[in-house]
């Protein structure tokens, strides 16, 4: 049975919704309550870890000469930044006596030094380069080195069970790279669902009206009891389609807010590019406030526990309004989260003709599973 003790180390903004939709002070209790109170549908679940790039750490969390341990994707990894500011990712455990290099390991140049016996491993290929109390290094002494890249404020690791698969390039945001748009804030959520269910929302066009029409200060499930509902509502037009680059799909949204249901006071166009199984780049344009961008990463902490991070970028003069926009996006995401945390996965859902985009999405997303992908049952080896 999986344990959840690592959840107690979570920092910043976390959201774990219980059946009463409150934010739990005890993360461990919140996750366990969700796990024990729902029907998972384990036999229908796809493999928990699709092949592709995963943004597993925000760049700002790791300075030159620092290292950290990361448990995700069914793996234990050490991520460290060399003195020359280059990121390396290796398996976490030393092949000597099993010490965790990410807990107390020391960065020396491009190498990571084991805290137990000071064996030193090179970041570029994982090869052991030095054992201080020996005149020679045993042949073929090395740790697995993971392919990684750093772009748009995140450290990405390439995960694939197919060793021959070549990683695609992650598009850079020109505006962020040139500092035309600067960082304004972030939010962070832990979602208890299969990873596929989160990006699938972009192709579920009918859910926008059902969940996201109510204004952000109204409680959508108690609209008759909340007078703030009458301040106005959001109106959405949405489309989803795969692009020529087979690993990229696109959601387009047109958003209008109608004050008191009559006065159009805010509009926004959104282009969301789903890049692989776990990364989304959102470009938003408002005629009133200009352009801003959001980057979303999903990291599978466990087969049915996803860490979702959003980072927000805009021009400097938008600083006052960005606090409100971050709040609004957080509220909208929480509405989805409350569904994800309590639903079961349907492998063969009863879809209507109007929901053809969902069927297309599942066909598109299936490319990230291959014959060697570990099944949910094999990966968990437990009863949920």
């Amino acid at each position: 049975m999986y344990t959840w003790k690592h959840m107690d180390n979570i920092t910043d903004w976390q959201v774990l919704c219980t059946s009463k939709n409150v934010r739990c002070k005890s993360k461990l209790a919140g996750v366990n309550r969700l796990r024990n109170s729902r029907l998972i549908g384990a036999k229908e679940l796809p493999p928990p870890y699709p092949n592709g790039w995963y943004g597993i750490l925000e760049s700002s969390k790791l300075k030159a000469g620092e290292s950290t341990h990361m448990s995700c994707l069914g793996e234990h990894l050490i991520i460290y930044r060399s003195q020359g500011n280059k990121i390396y990712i290796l398996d976490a455990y030393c092949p000597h006596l099993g010490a965790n290099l990410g807990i107390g390991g020391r960065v020396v140049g491009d190498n990571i030094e084991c805290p137990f016996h000071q064996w030193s491993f090179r970041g570029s290929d994982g090869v052991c380069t030095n054992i201080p109390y020996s005149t020679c290094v045993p042949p073929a002494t090395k740790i697995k080195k993971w392919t990684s890249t750093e772009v748009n404020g995140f450290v990405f690791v390439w995960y694939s069970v197919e060793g021959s698969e070549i990683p695609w390039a992650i598009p850079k945001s020109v505006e962020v790279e040139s500092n035309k748009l600067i960082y304004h804030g972030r939010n962070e959520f832990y979602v208890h669902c299969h990873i596929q269910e989160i990006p699938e929302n972009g192709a579920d066009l009918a859910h926008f009206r059902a969940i996201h029409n109510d204004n952000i200060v109204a409680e959508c499930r108690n609209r008759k009891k909340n007078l703030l509902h009458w301040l106005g509502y959001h109106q959405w037009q949405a489309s989803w389609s795969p692009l020529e680059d087979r690993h990229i799909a696109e959601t387009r949204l047109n958003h209008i807010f109608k004050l008191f249901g009559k006065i159009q006071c805010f509009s926004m166009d959104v282009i969301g590019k789903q890049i692989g199984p776990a990364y989304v780049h959102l470009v938003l344009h408002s005629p009133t406030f200009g352009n801003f961008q959001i980057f979303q990463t999903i990291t599978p902490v466990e087969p049915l526990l996803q860490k979702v991070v959003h980072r927000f970028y805009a021009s400097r003069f938008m600083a006052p309004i960005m606090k409100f926009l971050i709040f609004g996006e957080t509220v909208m995401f929480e509405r989805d989260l409350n569904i994800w945390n309590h639903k079961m996965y349907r492998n063969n859902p009863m879809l209507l003709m109007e929901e053809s985009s969902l069927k297309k999405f599942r066909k598109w997303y299936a490319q990230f599973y291959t014959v060697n992908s570990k099944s949910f049952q094999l990966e968990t080896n437990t009863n949920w």
Side-chain angles (χ1 to χ4, degrees):
M1 186 69 70
Y2 276 96
T3 59
W4 305 84
K5 292 182 181 178
H6 65 278
M7 293 291 292
D8 292 330
N9 296 323
I10 296 169
T11 57
D12 296 315
W13 188 335
Q14 299 83 26
V15 179
L16 283 171
C17 288
T18 68
S19 57
K20 294 183 179 179
N21 196 33
V22 298
R23 292 173 186 152
C24 295
K25 293 182 179 179
S26 169
K27 306 174 190 70
L28 178 62
V31 172
N32 281 330
R33 184 181 302 183
L34 289 172
R35 184 182 64 181
N36 295 328
S37 66
R38 58 192 289 226
L39 183 64
I40 297 298
K43 292 182 180 180
E44 297 190 52
L45 286 170
Y49 307 132
N51 299 324
W53 286 109
Y54 288 86
I56 60 174
L57 185 72
E58 293 163 82
S59 297
S60 58
K61 303 291 185 182
L62 204 62
K63 298 177 182 178
E66 292 183 344
S67 65
T68 188
H69 168 251
M70 180 74 67
S71 175
C72 61
L73 293 158
E75 306 287 345
H76 291 272
L77 309 172
I78 176 176
I79 309 170
Y80 70 95
R81 192 184 293 277
S82 72
Q83 303 294 350
N85 209 38
K86 185 171 177 59
I87 286 287
Y88 295 107
I89 302 178
L90 304 174
D91 274 354
Y93 296 109
C94 180
H96 176 214
L97 285 175
N100 190 324
L101 302 176
I103 309 297
R106 189 166 70 100
V107 178
V108 182
D110 286 346
N111 292 9
I112 185 71
E113 187 178 88
C114 177
F116 203 6
H117 296 86
Q118 296 184 322
W119 289 33
S120 187
F121 298 89
R122 191 164 53 211
S124 59
D125 55 12
V127 170
C128 182
T129 59
N130 181 54
I131 300 174
Y133 52 88
S134 177
T135 57
C136 67
V137 176
T141 303
K142 64 184 300 185
I143 300 176
K144 179 180 177 179
K145 188 257 183 183
W146 291 77
T147 300
S148 62
T149 189
E150 191 172 10
V151 61
N152 299 334
F154 289 95
V155 173
F156 289 85
V157 66
W158 175 258
Y159 176 91
S160 177
V161 294
E162 309 299 332
S164 60
E165 192 170 8
I166 301 174
W168 62 79
I170 300 175
K172 293 182 179 181
S173 168
V174 176
E175 294 82 2
V176 171
E177 289 283 319
S178 64
N179 288 322
K180 184 178 180 180
L181 301 181
I182 64 170
Y183 173 74
H184 282 272
R186 69 190 289 280
N187 56 29
E188 179 180 313
F189 304 86
Y190 282 79
V191 189
H192 196 264
C193 70
H194 188 277
I195 184 173
Q196 180 179 315
E197 297 182 90
I198 298 176
E200 188 168 282
N201 244 31
D204 184 3
L205 308 183
H207 98 280
F208 288 102
R209 180 176 181 179
I211 293 180
H212 299 298
N213 267 22
D214 291 271
N215 69 68
I216 59 175
V217 293
E219 175 54 61
C220 63
R221 288 172 302 149
N222 296 315
R223 52 169 38 168
K224 294 181 180 179
K225 300 178 182 179
N226 194 333
L227 294 177
L228 294 175
H229 167 72
W230 301 107
L231 285 175
Y233 61 87
H234 304 273
Q235 194 172 70
W236 306 85
Q237 289 184 329
S239 65
W240 180 92
S241 60
L243 299 186
E244 286 188 17
D245 289 333
R246 62 186 299 266
H247 59 275
I248 301 179
E250 185 176 87
T251 299
R252 286 182 173 263
L253 296 171
N254 174 258
H255 164 268
I256 296 172
F257 182 76
K258 291 194 173 181
L259 187 65
F260 306 122
K262 297 179 180 179
I263 306 170
Q264 180 178 321
C265 65
F266 178 77
S267 66
M268 182 171 60
D269 292 314
V270 183
I271 299 176
K273 290 188 177 180
Q274 176 75 42
I275 305 168
Y279 176 56
V280 177
H281 180 191
L282 294 157
V283 177
L284 305 94
H285 171 72
S286 163
T288 307
F289 300 110
N291 301 323
F292 57 104
Q293 296 183 17
I294 305 173
F295 300 93
Q296 179 199 73
T297 58
I298 308 172
T299 306
V301 180
E302 302 281 2
L304 287 180
L305 182 64
Q306 317 301 327
K307 176 183 175 180
V308 181
V309 173
H310 298 107
R311 289 176 63 89
F312 298 79
Y313 290 81
S315 59
R316 293 181 185 276
F317 80 87
M318 280 188 67
I321 193 65
M322 282 305 295
K323 293 185 183 296
F324 180 74
L325 291 173
I326 293 172
F327 167 76
E329 193 272 348
T330 299
V331 170
M332 289 296 185
F333 193 86
E334 283 182 313
R335 294 178 183 178
D336 290 315
L337 183 145
N338 187 58
I339 301 295
W340 293 323
N341 273 351
H342 299 278
K343 73 186 292 293
M344 70 172 291
Y345 180 84
R346 292 288 192 190
N347 185 49
N348 189 24
M350 188 180 295
L351 297 177
L352 303 177
M353 181 179 64
E354 293 83 356
E355 296 174 302
S356 60
S357 58
L358 273 172
K359 188 174 181 179
K360 292 176 182 177
F361 170 86
R362 291 198 172 190
K363 183 178 180 180
W364 173 81
Y365 200 87
Q367 68 179 296
F368 305 116
Y369 306 120
T370 51
V371 292
N372 293 314
S373 295
K374 291 182 181 179
S375 67
F376 176 80
Q377 289 83 353
L378 181 62
E379 183 61 37
T380 57
N381 193 28
T382 186
N383 294 319
W384 286 81

